[in-house]
Amino acid sequence: MKDFFAKLVAIFIGIYTNLRSMVMVASHTFRKRDTIQYPEVKPYVPPRYRGRIVLTRDPDGEERCVACNLCAAACPVGCISLQKAEQDDGRWYPEFFRINFSRCIFCGLCEEACPTNAIQLTPDFELGEYRRQDLVYEKEHLLISGTGKYPDYNFYRIAGLSIAGKPKGAAKNEAKPVDVKSLLP
Amino acid sequence: MLRTGPLHAARAAMITWFSNHPEVVDAIIASLKALVLLFGSVIVAAMLIWVERRLLGVWQDRYGPNRVGPFGLGQVVADMIKIFFKEDWMPPFVDKPAFLIAPLVAMTTMMMAFVLVPVAPGWNVAGDLNIGVLLFFALAGLAVYAVMLGGWSSNSKYALLGGLRSAAQMLSYEVFMGVALMGVVMETGSFAVNDIIAYQGAHHWFILTQFFGFCTFALAAVATTHRHPFDLPEAEQELAAGYHTEYSGMKFGMFFVAEYVGVVVVSGLLTTLYFGGWHGPGAESHAWLGFIYFFIKTFIFIMLFILLRGALPRPRYDQVMAGGWKFCLPLALVNMLVTGAVILANQGG
Amino acid sequence: MAIIHVDGKQYEVDGGDNLLHACLSLGLDIPYFCWHPELGSVGACRQCAVKAYRDANDKQGRIVMSCMTPSTDGTYISIGDEESKAFRASVVEWLMTNHPHDCPVCEEGGHCHLQDMTVMTGHATRRYRFTKRTHQNQYLGPFINHEMNRCISCYRCTRYYKDYAGGTDLGVYGTASNVYFGRETDGILESEFSGNLTEVCPTGVFTDKTHGDRYNRKWDMQFAPSICQGCAVGCNTSPGERYGEIRRIENRYNGAVNHYFLCDRGRFGYGFVNRKDRPRQPLVKRDGSFVALPPDEAVLHAANLLKSAKRVIGIGSPRASLEANFALRTLVGAENFFDGHSAAEGKLVQKAAKILSEGHVRIPSLRVIEQADAAFVLGEDVTNTAPRIALALRQTARGRQTTLARDKHIAEWQAAALADIGQHEKNPLYVASVDATRIDDIAAQTYRAAPEDIARLGFAVAHAIDATAPAVSGLDEASTALVKTIADGLLAADKPLVVSGTGTGLESVIDAAANVVRALQAKGKHVELSLVVPEVNSMGLALMQAAGLDQALEALKSGAADAVVVVENDLYRRAGKALVDAALKNAKVVVADHQMTDTAQQAEVVLSAASFAEGDGTVVNNEGRAQRYFQVYDATYYDPKVTIREAWYWLNDLRAQYSNVASEWKHFDDVSIACEQALPQLNGMVKAAPNAQFRMHGLKVAREPHRYSGRTAMRANISVHEPRASQDADTALAFSMEGHHGTEAGDRPSALIPFAWAPGWNSPQSWNKFQDEVGGHLRGGDAGVRLFEPQAHAAVKTYFDAIPAAFTAKAGEWRTVNLHHIFGGEELSARAAPVAERAPKPYVGLNPADADSLGIGANMLIDVALAGSAVRLPLRLLPTLPRGTVGLPLGVEGMAYAEAGATIKLSRVNAA
């Protein structure tokens, strides 16, 4: 008998909680809408939002990308492909750099992997196209003229590779080249 | 333009013939009414797609579809265009005849149930049918076949499981659905829907005397339409889309619309059986007023259906069965006994 | 056998090894730099430190270098000990203080041993705040890029280059932390094995320059197990492909053949695959120029062409696979199938094949060559004809150190101690050659003479060993003394070795080599005979025993045959231009080749055959080892117009149309099996690699590393709609990163390892993980199947007795001799730009005394009458060339065909 009443109480509590849920949900009728009416109202997008990918330039205006392939390796959907080439001055650069945005998931791993801060994600998310083929971006679509989020970084000032205007020993923290013929300790 | 002789004569002959055979005129008028009701119900069902999405949006602090046409009403048209032009693909492994019949059964049974619902004074098809609400049970029972056939013929394990669950669920809930309604029938002393409405107009709404009957009937009605929280036959998390997993295009659309027709029918029945149908101040003299009362009452139930979906979690399958057999059935039986006792007591007194 | 205890666990090891070797063989990871299985231990880098304990109760322990500590019974060590871990972390941090911030722009990145070891030891952040020492780089030629800043001073490069490969021009300069590894001045690295520096160097000091222009990371390449096409040794390679180009050849370990090293021809000579002028679609000649046709139409056209002929013959090729040659043989019939060697060469190769396949002699693999303790090189310039054998012979000579050390109970991995003991002592190496060779520096005796005299020397040595061998009369005193020295040296050895081959173009040289071997066998010696043949599948083609090319050309010329199908062969390299022109002039010519050769230019139909990179095939190396190479990539994936198919596939289609038979071969295995069944002498070739049905744990073996990038973008410029990955119905390999990647023991066949990679080991050092013992054999057995094995006690008692007469110089007449060139001397690699850069221009070589007699000096032009045509060539003075002979560089681009042993006239060009 005790069990029966306990069950009865449980049933009433159950009915009550269900009804309460319904009332609570119904009360949302009079709440403020959270939806932003997008095309008319532009949402606020933070500066580090992960949207359209760009290739930036270093403070001297040269391409930052050295075609090291790390972004491509990090990309979980394999939507980045590029080919390394070398300029006459010894700089590495991508002969082509292709991102298939129809595959991109905007995870930002490419940006994390990039050792030269070249590849960056921007707050532009309006990438819609009517033809999928138009979502394949080549280097000319990706390369911008600015430095993006990192205004000061220049990889070649730190790397040991010599390029025109920066011979061996001229990079940051580098000593002058060793004179092999010297016997001084 | 001159009236030519023979035509004029034929017209006169027709009028004569019709005035000699008033039952034919009645039949034609009834048929027209039935057609109006049929299309009306389908259109309302289709509109429910939009209503449901808007309402769910409202309860989730969103707007819901508001882009196509005024208030997003064009969404219904867009959805229909989409579903009509979608490739109607039949998987090669299905049992073709059964696979084809299932959505038809779903649609027709639910639409046929609408014959019972008087939407306004004089506006129904089978209001005086002496088996009345029993027809609804019969049709609701038939509707199980839609789900079972769809589930079995799909030859897919999700669909089959969905079909099995549905069959068990419907069987269980039909039992006390009938019992729950017996209170109403006993009070009225008739199965005919029009009698039930007339009784409520003359005395009181049955919600007052048959509250528990209403509760159990309402639960069973939700279960009959596979609406949330009784949507176990198509529980997404476990069964993909349940019995209609393999359906696409308009065949899926028929299942989809049948569900909404079911919602309309069941809401209409709840109104009719427990909330006085089209009754309301001045409805007897003005049929259109009756229709408005009916519409408002029904719409409140429809909204309740949607609120259920927006608010309640889905119970486990065993909980559904237990709730049906161990709670609702005893409650309905007790309700019937008490009703019978009260009626007997009243007659005795 | 010894029991060692590592971190509380017992292992059974070979007590003769050092601890590092033993632990790596057990699969335990100890970081290391300066140690290399082939170079031994010097204990220079201090990276392989572990904690050693006196016994089980010693809790204190002391840090030792595992590479310098023997794995004696009862050794207790700990690799995971905190103190030794900290020690190793410090060592790598010190090594990294001067390492430049280069990884993104370093060609080593991604397969860098230094990266692997740094990750393994856990060093991540540079704490050293002071400056980095820098170095200037050097130009080291077209093969090797130099970037000295990256050096960690492990000394592996000089130990390999000087000690192992015998190079003289790479050294170490400077003192203390300023040491510099390079040449005295900028210049091309002279060693023919310099390419191995790229794999020996644990970091990016020496990198592959041929790859640098079109560089990509190792993880981005599609690999396949392949066989080098450069010579008959059949070194195992891993060609890597990206965007439809072969980008790099890496060494593929084979414990019996090339183990860790390749020659530069093999490593850098892959460029012919990427040439723009290759036929990539079937071509049909219309009005004198080629038009690309769809494959079906082209085959139909070729079939109609052949149908209209009264007799169709086929000319095979020593650079085509067994399957391609067999498909041709099936198409035209055995009686119409001809050898693709030049007529003279064909005879020699068949002779060599006969001697080796009869089962009377032991045939050494490269590994066995290295273990010999005396060698007699008779006539063959191995550095240029089979370069990897020359590197092995250097180890033969160097083996003396090991013998001496063994007497003093010094372990053979003690590299520095071995060098001290050995000093300049070497195992005897006797080199008889036409001109000076690149292994003369390690030779105990050299003999330079015309081929006839070389043969006589060989016959005489055989006679000196066993008196029943035919004697040579008329030897001068010096030669007689030399003969005695050589005979005594070979008799004194435990495992003597004779190396000869087809290089001199004289059959009696091979006879003489066989005689020496038989004489040594008669004396009960365990002797090995290595015969060098010219091309990758020369041995395989010789085993097919086709009639000589001269008969084919004669038949075409006379009109007895009026149509010819040539497979992967340039006839202009095999016979005189006039003869080939005459033969092809009236014939209907169908060529299946992957290069636009002069012969292909003459063809009516050119079928775009696959090179080693686009097709599968089986080739037989000079020791009779059948080895399978696998398709690296599917060219059609990048360009749907491209129709490159294996030659056997084209010929099978052609046969279906030509003979109106149903095509019976659907897949590679079908033709391979048919070939073996039809030719019993090739029995075993099918087992060279597992068939297409083979699976590892239900998976095909992946051609791509599982980090392969850009799959959804590399083709997106063609179409954003990605096609299905290419399917490979012919092999158990998949054109994908999906599939088996493991290194585990037992059932992984070595023939199916496309590239070396193991978790944490991205560099070529990861071969450790595939070997039964580090530096030993692969766990699945070394790849390839020997088609003929020597039968025990089957030595023949008979000797060859066709001793040629001594060569005598005649005034005004010159005997042509072949001069071989590692770069430019081989058809395919010469078509690769970096190799072409190192290749000689056409020339004639003369002894300076002979040049004086003609009154001309170096680089002056000479008129040479060759095979009926006169050519004008510059003179090169060769002081060691025998008098009366004229040296002609064999097969060099621009050289007309010249037969060795011909007598020609030379005349100086009078100033016009």
Side-chain angles (χ1 to χ4, degrees):
Chain A
M1 206 60 196
K2 206 178 150 195
D3 279 0
F4 177 76
F5 281 113
K7 263 187 190 159
L8 214 58
V9 169
I11 286 169
F12 277 113
I13 291 175
I15 291 170
Y16 164 72
T17 54
N18 275 331
L19 290 175
R20 190 186 59 161
S21 299
M22 288 166 69
V23 171
M24 280 165 70
V25 169
S27 75
H28 279 258
T29 315
F30 309 104
R31 296 274 183 90
K32 186 177 165 291
R33 307 292 95 183
D34 287 336
T35 312
I36 297 166
Q37 298 279 37
Y38 161 59
E40 297 87 20
V41 185
K42 299 288 180 194
Y44 167 73
V45 184
R48 285 180 180 273
Y49 184 87
R50 299 196 307 258
R52 182 167 58 88
I53 299 173
V54 296
L55 291 174
T56 58
R57 291 175 184 275
D58 65 25
D60 304 334
E62 299 285 343
E63 266 178 59
R64 261 184 182 148
C65 178
V66 297
C68 72
N69 271 298
L70 287 180
C71 50
C75 182
V77 291
C79 75
I80 303 178
S81 88
L82 64 153
Q83 174 58 53
K84 176 247 173 182
E86 222 169 294
Q87 279 169 7
D88 292 339
D89 66 356
R91 280 170 177 271
W92 286 29
Y93 76 101
E95 182 184 271
F96 70 83
F97 196 110
R98 186 180 305 131
I99 299 182
N100 180 354
F101 278 108
S102 76
R103 287 287 190 185
C104 180
I105 58 169
F106 301 97
C107 63
L109 290 181
C110 50
E111 181 172 1
E112 280 184 43
C114 184
T116 66
N117 289 335
I119 195 165
Q120 295 180 13
L121 276 74
T122 65
D124 176 11
F125 59 87
E126 296 172 303
L127 287 159
E129 296 284 356
Y130 284 103
R131 279 159 29 90
R132 266 184 77 192
Q133 189 65 47
D134 294 344
L135 286 166
V136 178
Y137 280 41
E138 297 288 344
K139 193 168 118 180
E140 63 261 33
H141 311 121
L142 296 166
L143 189 64
I144 63 165
S145 53
T147 57
K149 283 173 271 192
Y150 309 94
D152 302 323
Y153 188 74
N154 188 337
F155 172 76
Y156 280 108
R157 287 183 197 151
I158 294 157
L161 197 76
S162 60
I163 54 168
K166 197 211 75 175
K168 288 287 173 203
K172 197 176 151 196
N173 259 341
E174 275 191 350
K176 288 276 161 276
V178 168
D179 176 10
V180 178
K181 298 203 171 85
S182 162
L183 287 177
L184 292 173
Chain B
M1 196 193 275
L2 285 170
R3 279 183 183 156
T4 51
L7 252 181
H8 187 74
R11 186 158 160 268
M14 256 172 71
I15 291 167
T16 323
W17 188 85
F18 275 122
S19 46
N20 289 339
H21 299 81
E23 72 281 2
V24 175
V25 179
D26 288 350
I28 289 172
I29 290 170
S31 303
L32 285 175
K33 278 185 179 173
L35 274 178
V36 169
L37 286 176
L38 182 70
F39 285 114
S41 66
V42 172
I43 287 167
V44 168
M47 291 303 289
L48 277 189
I49 300 171
W50 172 82
V51 169
E52 172 154 37
R53 290 179 59 187
R54 281 308 293 251
L55 280 177
L56 284 177
V58 161
W59 289 323
Q60 291 165 4
D61 295 347
R62 300 183 284 113
Y63 290 106
N66 64 349
R67 292 280 152 182
V68 193
F71 308 106
L73 272 167
Q75 190 71 40
V76 177
V77 182
D79 283 353
M80 269 162 55
I81 290 172
K82 180 226 165 198
I83 211 158
F84 274 123
F85 287 95
K86 207 171 149 152
E87 184 188 0
D88 196 356
W89 189 71
M90 209 188 295
F93 46 79
V94 300
D95 183 275
K96 283 214 172 80
F99 192 79
L100 278 171
I101 288 169
L104 285 174
V105 173
M107 189 90 175
T108 42
T109 49
M110 276 306 161
M111 296 218 295
M112 278 174 71
F114 210 75
V115 298
L116 288 172
V117 185
V119 297
W123 273 87
N124 72 343
V125 181
D128 295 321
L129 193 67
N130 58 2
I131 52 166
V133 289
L134 289 182
L135 178 69
F136 171 70
F137 297 140
L139 288 169
L142 269 180
V144 187
Y145 282 100
V147 181
M148 279 172 64
L149 285 176
W152 171 79
S153 68
S154 291
N155 261 334
S156 132
K157 42 182 162 307
Y158 296 123
L160 185 64
L161 282 173
L164 278 174
R165 279 189 183 187
S166 178
Q169 179 181 315
M170 302 272 265
L171 279 174
S172 317
Y173 277 68
E174 289 231 339
V175 173
F176 65 80
M177 181 159 77
V179 177
L181 206 57
M182 281 311 112
V184 172
V185 174
M186 282 155 76
E187 278 201 53
T188 314
S190 166
F191 280 110
V193 180
N194 279 356
D195 293 345
I196 293 172
I197 291 178
Y199 183 89
Q200 291 184 76
H203 299 86
H204 53 78
W205 290 2
F206 282 128
I207 183 69
L208 297 176
T209 51
Q210 292 295 320
F211 179 73
F212 292 109
F214 164 75
C215 289
T216 41
F217 182 79
L219 276 177
V222 177
T224 311
T225 55
H226 315 132
R227 288 284 305 183
H228 218 82
F230 295 103
D231 59 345
L232 283 115
E234 43 188 302
E236 292 93 347
Q237 290 90 333
E238 312 135 50
L239 290 179
Y243 60 91
H244 58 63
T245 304
E246 306 296 338
Y247 281 90
S248 65
M250 205 44 222
K251 284 203 277 294
F252 164 76
M254 283 163 85
F255 273 123
F256 196 66
V257 171
E259 183 179 315
Y260 285 110
V261 173
V263 170
V264 175
V265 169
V266 165
S267 302
L269 271 179
L270 282 169
T271 308
T272 307
L273 297 177
Y274 292 99
F275 285 86
W278 44 262
H279 274 295
E284 277 85 352
S285 45
H286 304 289
W288 58 271
L289 211 55
F291 174 74
I292 287 176
Y293 289 137
F294 174 82
F295 185 84
I296 291 171
K297 289 176 191 172
T298 307
F299 194 74
I300 287 170
F301 278 109
I302 289 172
M303 278 172 64
L304 201 68
F305 268 76
I306 295 166
L307 182 61
L308 280 175
R309 181 178 172 187
L312 297 187
R314 180 189 306 126
R316 241 175 21 236
Y317 183 60
D318 62 314
Q319 291 169 332
V320 170
M321 297 306 278
W325 289 107
K326 292 186 186 166
F327 178 72
C328 291
L329 182 60
L331 190 64
L333 285 171
V334 168
N335 178 59
M336 187 170 76
L337 277 175
V338 172
T339 309
V342 170
I343 290 171
L344 279 179
N346 283 347
Q347 280 173 353
Chain C
M1 279 298 126
I3 304 288
I4 62 168
H5 305 259
V6 183
D7 287 319
K9 282 193 190 148
Q10 279 190 20
Y11 297 97
E12 196 174 305
V13 299
D14 177 358
D17 294 329
N18 58 60
L19 277 173
L20 178 60
H21 186 116
C23 289
L24 288 172
S25 299
L26 292 169
L28 305 170
D29 284 351
I30 301 180
Y32 63 89
F33 290 113
C34 68
W35 179 82
H36 187 286
E38 288 299 321
L39 304 177
S41 311
V42 290
C45 71
R46 319 313 280 171
Q47 186 61 63
C48 64
V50 295
K51 196 75 148 305
Y53 302 94
R54 269 199 313 280
D55 50 44
N57 301 320
D58 182 5
K59 297 284 176 257
Q60 180 106 28
R62 67 202 164 88
I63 284 180
V64 297
M65 296 308 127
S66 60
C67 75
M68 298 302 283
T69 311
S71 55
T72 45
D73 200 21
T75 302
Y76 286 83
I77 60 163
S78 168
I79 301 170
D81 170 69
E82 285 306 321
E83 207 179 348
S84 60
K85 268 162 76 178
F87 184 94
R88 295 197 295 264
S90 300
V91 169
V92 85
E93 190 171 1
W94 294 326
L95 291 174
M96 294 294 282
T97 54
N98 286 322
H99 200 72
H101 187 72
D102 258 6
C103 291
V105 288
C106 174
E107 287 97 338
E108 192 80 358
H111 66 138
C112 176
H113 189 55
L114 179 59
Q115 281 179 341
D116 290 349
M117 296 299 104
T118 310
V119 170
M120 194 182 283
T121 41
H123 171 63
T125 313
R126 178 183 154 92
R127 290 188 294 163
Y128 183 77
R129 288 175 293 119
F130 305 100
T131 55
K132 298 176 178 180
R133 63 109 178 83
T134 60
H135 284 292
Q136 301 289 3
N137 300 329
Q138 285 180 331
Y139 170 77
L140 297 178
F143 296 155
I144 305 282
N145 196 41
H146 192 222
E147 187 66 44
M148 245 320 279
N149 281 358
R150 298 170 187 156
C151 181
I152 56 165
S153 309
C154 70
Y155 282 71
R156 263 195 193 183
C157 53
T158 50
R159 285 164 60 212
Y160 163 74
Y161 196 85
K162 291 167 79 168
D163 303 347
Y164 190 90
T168 53
D169 57 332
L170 183 85
V172 52
Y173 307 93
T175 61
S177 67
N178 292 345
V179 290
Y180 187 87
F181 297 85
R183 286 168 51 91
E184 231 170 292
T185 55
D186 283 22
I188 294 172
L189 280 175
E190 285 162 9
S191 171
E192 292 81 6
F193 308 98
S194 63
N196 296 315
L197 287 173
T198 63
E199 289 190 20
V200 166
C201 177
T203 172
V205 178
F206 301 101
T207 50
D208 184 341
K209 197 185 251 182
T210 65
H211 182 208
D213 282 347
R214 307 278 296 157
Y215 177 74
N216 55 275
R217 302 283 171 203
K218 178 178 180 176
W219 68 67
D220 276 346
M221 282 193 281
Q222 179 160 257
F223 296 92
S226 194
I227 304 298
C228 178
Q229 309 284 305
C231 76
V233 174
C235 295
N236 291 199
T237 58
S238 276
E241 170 269 351
R242 180 79 180 171
Y243 302 133
E245 290 170 1
I246 294 293
R247 292 293 174 81
R248 178 163 76 199
I249 301 266
E250 275 186 36
N251 179 59
R252 183 163 66 93
Y253 191 88
N254 184 323
V257 188
N258 50 307
H259 56 83
Y260 286 99
F261 304 121
L262 297 176
C263 74
D264 287 359
R265 179 199 276 179
R267 188 183 292 273
F268 301 119
Y270 58 85
F272 65 91
V273 177
N274 302 336
R275 282 177 75 100
K276 293 275 179 291
D277 60 358
R278 272 185 65 179
R280 285 187 163 79
Q281 284 171 274
L283 304 171
V284 170
K285 200 169 265 174
R286 295 257 164 85
D287 306 325
S289 59
F290 285 115
V291 187
L293 277 193
D296 295 349
E297 286 179 37
V299 167
L300 198 64
H301 188 93
N304 290 335
L305 204 65
L306 298 186
K307 275 181 187 166
S308 69
K310 61 180 192 293
R311 183 185 170 204
V312 181
I313 62 166
I315 298 176
S317 169
R319 67 170 163 88
S321 65
L322 289 175
E323 286 80 6
N325 280 310
F326 177 69
L328 178 63
R329 188 175 178 272
T330 314
L331 173 72
V332 296
E335 68 286 357
N336 293 326
F337 176 67
F338 293 91
D339 196 336
H341 291 100
S342 72
E345 207 169 60
K347 274 201 206 83
L348 294 178
V349 177
Q350 294 211 355
K351 177 90 178 205
K354 186 162 181 294
I355 290 173
L356 296 182
S357 62
E358 276 171 344
H360 302 315
V361 291
R362 289 191 183 80
I363 313 158
S365 63
L366 288 181
R367 187 67 102 177
V368 175
I369 292 179
E370 291 177 0
Q371 286 156 356
D373 56 357
F376 182 24
V377 182
L378 194 65
E380 193 71 16
D381 179 7
V382 281
T383 314
N384 290 313
T385 56
R388 190 61 186 77
I389 291 182
L391 190 60
L393 284 173
R394 287 194 176 273
Q395 312 322 309
T396 310
R398 226 161 67 97
R400 182 74 184 152
Q401 292 180 352
T402 320
T403 318
L404 291 172
R406 204 179 293 130
D407 296 344
K408 299 265 190 304
H409 303 292
I410 293 171
E412 58 187 84
W413 43 266
Q414 289 277 17
L418 252 65
D420 283 345
I421 286 178
Q423 296 295 331
H424 297 294
E425 290 211 45
K426 291 189 167 62
N427 280 331
L429 182 68
Y430 307 107
V431 179
S433 59
V434 173
D435 192 13
T437 70
R438 295 273 291 154
I439 52 171
D440 289 353
D441 59 321
I442 49 165
Q445 298 286 338
T446 58
Y447 177 72
R448 286 161 197 149
E452 288 81 1
D453 294 335
I454 291 173
R456 287 166 62 82
L457 179 79
F459 280 113
V461 170
H463 178 71
I465 293 168
D466 180 11
T468 60
V472 180
S473 57
L475 280 185
D476 60 27
E477 208 167 296
S479 303
T480 315
L482 181 63
V483 164
K484 179 151 174 26
T485 314
I486 297 174
D488 290 349
L490 293 176
L491 279 169
D494 288 333
K495 289 177 282 180
L497 163 73
V498 178
V499 178
S500 186
T502 59
T504 57
L506 192 66
E507 196 173 329
S508 45
V509 172
I510 300 176
D511 289 350
N515 270 13
V516 175
V517 170
R518 288 172 188 181
L520 284 165
Q521 280 174 337
K523 291 291 169 193
K525 284 287 168 190
H526 184 283
V527 60
E528 308 269 353
L529 173 64
S530 180
L531 289 178
V532 176
V533 290
E535 285 175 57
V536 59
N537 199 23
S538 281
M539 189 60 78
L541 184 58
L543 290 172
M544 290 184 151
Q545 293 160 346
L549 183 66
D550 47 349
Q551 295 175 41
L553 295 178
E554 192 50 48
L556 288 170
K557 196 176 160 189
S558 67
D562 53 354
V564 59
V565 183
V566 182
V567 170
E568 300 183 36
N569 204 344
D570 183 6
L571 301 180
Y572 288 95
R573 294 175 63 88
R574 313 287 182 185
K577 185 170 187 314
L579 180 57
V580 178
D581 278 343
L584 298 184
K585 193 176 64 190
N586 296 320
K588 303 175 176 78
V589 185
V590 175
V591 170
D593 204 343
H594 49 82
Q595 299 296 320
M596 206 57 192
T597 61
D598 292 343
T599 308
Q601 297 283 5
Q602 304 294 320
E604 288 282 317
V605 183
V606 177
L607 300 171
S608 44
S611 71
F612 76 93
E614 295 99 7
D616 313 307
T618 314
V619 290
V620 185
N621 79 350
N622 71 322
E623 50 164 326
R625 183 185 296 269
Q627 303 189 98
R628 182 78 42 82
Y629 60 85
F630 290 96
Q631 185 175 2
V632 182
Y633 70 106
D634 173 19
T636 314
Y637 184 74
Y638 302 99
D639 184 356
K641 286 204 298 292
V642 169
T643 315
I644 294 180
R645 294 167 175 175
E646 287 116 317
W648 68 261
Y649 193 106
W650 283 120
L651 296 171
N652 187 40
D653 271 8
L654 186 54
R655 177 159 173 264
Q657 296 290 341
Y658 169 60
S659 314
N660 287 330
V661 292
S663 137
E664 51 190 300
W665 303 329
K666 297 276 186 292
H667 298 301
F668 177 80
D669 288 334
D670 302 338
V671 53
S672 202
I673 289 167
C675 179
E676 189 185 75
Q677 281 168 353
L679 300 164
Q681 61 270 40
L682 295 173
N683 198 19
M685 64 173 278
V686 169
K687 290 199 265 317
N691 67 15
Q693 268 66 52
F694 179 83
R695 295 289 182 276
M696 296 284 297
H697 305 299
L699 295 170
K700 285 188 151 204
V701 175
R703 279 185 173 89
E704 296 168 359
H706 58 199
R707 211 181 285 153
Y708 193 83
S709 81
R711 300 174 314 285
T712 63
M714 58 200 300
R715 215 178 159 281
N717 56 331
I718 303 170
S719 166
V720 74
H721 306 282
E722 290 141 23
R724 188 184 184 202
S726 306
Q727 301 296 303
D728 189 351
D730 284 337
T731 73
L733 297 161
F735 291 112
S736 169
M737 61 208 287
E738 289 171 31
H740 186 75
H741 281 280
T743 61
E744 77 267 39
D747 50 353
R748 177 157 188 169
S750 308
L752 288 182
I753 305 176
F755 56 93
W757 181 87
W761 296 77
N762 299 293
S763 78
Q765 308 293 321
S766 50
W767 284 112
N768 287 349
K769 300 286 173 189
F770 293 87
Q771 295 159 338
D772 58 355
E773 179 202 358
V774 175
H777 299 279
L778 292 174
R779 285 206 200 97
D782 290 319
V785 175
R786 285 273 281 256
L787 296 184
F788 26 88
E789 287 291 351
Q791 276 107 46
H793 316 298
V796 278
K797 298 285 183 281
T798 57
Y799 288 100
F800 292 107
D801 52 5
I803 303 171
F807 172 72
T808 47
K810 294 190 197 72
E813 283 189 351
W814 311 87
R815 185 205 191 277
T816 56
V817 293
N818 287 335
L819 296 179
H820 299 277
H821 289 279
I822 178 171
F823 305 121
E826 191 268 333
E827 180 184 0
L828 296 178
S829 61
R831 288 170 169 261
V835 169
E837 197 180 326
R838 294 282 304 271
K841 296 275 170 292
Y843 67 90
V844 280
L846 277 183
N847 190 296
D850 286 343
D852 280 348
S853 72
L854 279 171
I856 52 173
N859 297 325
M860 287 170 68
L861 293 175
I862 306 186
D863 275 333
V864 188
L866 282 179
S869 57
V871 286
R872 183 166 291 186
L873 295 168
L875 174 72
R876 188 183 278 192
L877 293 177
L878 300 171
T880 46
L881 197 70
R883 293 286 305 268
T885 62
V886 54
L888 298 169
L890 188 71
V892 165
E893 171 75 31
M895 270 306 281
Y897 173 79
E899 199 154 291
T903 305
I904 61 166
K905 295 202 188 319
L906 302 174
S907 52
R908 66 176 282 188
V909 176
N910 296 314

